[in-house]
Amino acid sequence: MGLLDGKKLLITGVLTEGSIAFHTARIAQEQGADVVLTSFGRQFRLTQAIARRLPAEAPVVQLDVTSEEDLAALADRVREHTDHLDGVVHSIGFAPQSVLGGNFLSGQWEDVATAVHVSGYSLKALAVAAQPLLGRGSSVVGLTFDAQYAWPVYDWMGVAKAALEATSRYLARDLGPEGIRVNLVSAGPIRTTAATSIPGFEKIEERWPERSPLGWDMRDAGPTAKAVVALLSDWFPATTAEIIHVDGGFHAMGL
């Protein structure tokens, strides 16, 4: 018997086999879940190709989280594959290069707004769009990078992640009466497409393995994906508004 037997999940952010979202979808299927993926634009065919590399090929529906039209249509598009959802995974983040890599002071509002919209506000937008399909006991899980700190080169993406973390708490407050849990997983640095596109990202990752009590493998998204799957399961029935760290213990260490 799998941890997610019979669960129906919507997973965003599957772009490559190295992505946290891909490993989440893979492990979720291995644990008995049926998975629907989202993608949009030029990435859509890429997501379809990657979906064929899962244990069971997953359908892909159109969703640009900045499009009101796509958000309004999401529930109907998902209904073409399942009549309800037990869980939603938010694995979405983007910031223009102009507000990363040491450009905090020079960042312009238009680009900052894009980062906050795509990386923070979209959690609320996605949850509300999926809400008609979610029932009691369902779970929304997002991915963050610990926003307590001002990281080198992360700049306005760090601010956007702080917005994401606050958004998750307010969502937990407002969706809790419907029996919907909202939690985040704070992962250590993983060499995903999004991470490696940040100029100077190696400044964040270079000391992570030695400062983490358990060590840290930046090539392995599996531990993070397992935490997401656990939060999607029924084994955390009274946990919401929480941030689970999957970083080898780095977050708790001093100098």
Side-chain angles (χ1 to χ4, degrees), residues 37-54:
L37 308 179
T38 75
S39 193
F40 72 101
R42 290 178 296 176
Q43 302 170 355
F44 196 92
R45 288 188 177 181
L46 176 60
T47 301
Q48 286 180 315
I50 296 298
R52 291 193 284 271
R53 300 180 188 179
L54 291 167

Side-chain angles (χ1 to χ4, degrees), residues 207-218:
R207 294 192 61 198
W208 210 282
E210 68 183 60
R211 288 192 56 191
S212 301
L214 293 176
W216 185 250
D217 185 350
M218 288 168 285

